Amino acid sequence: GAMAVDLMRRLREIDGDDKISKLFARRTRDLLREYKKRLAGRDEADRFRELAKIRDREGYMARPTPGGLTEHHCPIAALAKEFPLVCQYEKLLFEAALGVKVDRTQHLASGDSACVYRTKVGSR
């Protein structure tokens, strides 16, 4: 956590915020390829179940919920507090992988007890 934050600060000092955005965008593209492979051919409920499995293995203590996903832990919390853009890219990743718009109704980095994502009404 602390080392990742320090490295990102140094990257920002050297190359600016645009480089941070490009880094997160590239990471999102790479993850999206893997996520899409795992979610392909599944109905929406099963896509959320599989996404929860993926995220749980990544350390997020993720659980599927009806029409959504709840993450009870954030292994990148220190990074997210200083670089909230990472959370915006995660939301974009979920939307692209799931094929639906989602709302984040709770956010660990903002002091909530979990990150909660729900299918956005009318997003199908």
Side-chain angles (χ1 to χ4, degrees):
M3 181 177 170
V5 171
D6 182 56
L7 290 170
M8 295 302 286
R9 284 178 186 155
R10 291 169 192 266
L11 181 61
R12 181 173 51 200
E13 288 172 11
I14 295 167
D15 288 324
D17 285 325
D18 188 50
K19 183 67 77 168
I20 300 293
S21 183
K22 286 179 182 178
L23 182 66
F24 289 147
R26 179 173 287 178
R27 179 180 180 272
T28 299
R29 279 193 312 270
D30 292 346
L31 288 173
L32 180 58
R33 278 193 295 275
E34 294 304 314
Y35 282 30
K36 279 188 157 187
K37 285 179 195 173
R38 298 268 307 265
L39 304 180
R42 299 171 184 263
D43 65 27
E44 184 177 305
D46 201 28
R47 287 193 309 269
F48 274 108
R49 281 190 291 275
E50 188 62 23
L51 180 59
K53 287 179 188 176
I54 294 167
R55 299 294 285 180
D56 194 53
R57 284 190 202 113
E58 292 174 353
Y60 289 86
M61 294 177 59
R63 301 293 177 261
T65 58
L69 172 76
T70 299
E71 296 177 335
H72 298 281
H73 176 71
C74 182
I76 61 166
L79 191 63
K81 286 181 183 173
E82 186 155 344
F83 297 91
L85 189 61
V86 71
C87 296
Q88 293 171 20
Y89 274 102
E90 281 190 340
K91 183 177 178 290
L92 292 172
L93 170 64
F94 293 170
E95 290 176 338
L98 292 164
V100 296
K101 294 289 184 186
V102 296
D103 282 323
R104 185 176 50 233
T105 59
Q106 294 182 43
H107 187 220
L108 279 162
S110 298
D112 292 321
S113 61
C115 283
V116 177
Y117 298 88
R118 300 269 183 247
T119 301
K120 197 171 200 169
V121 176
S123 70
R124 296 169 212 259

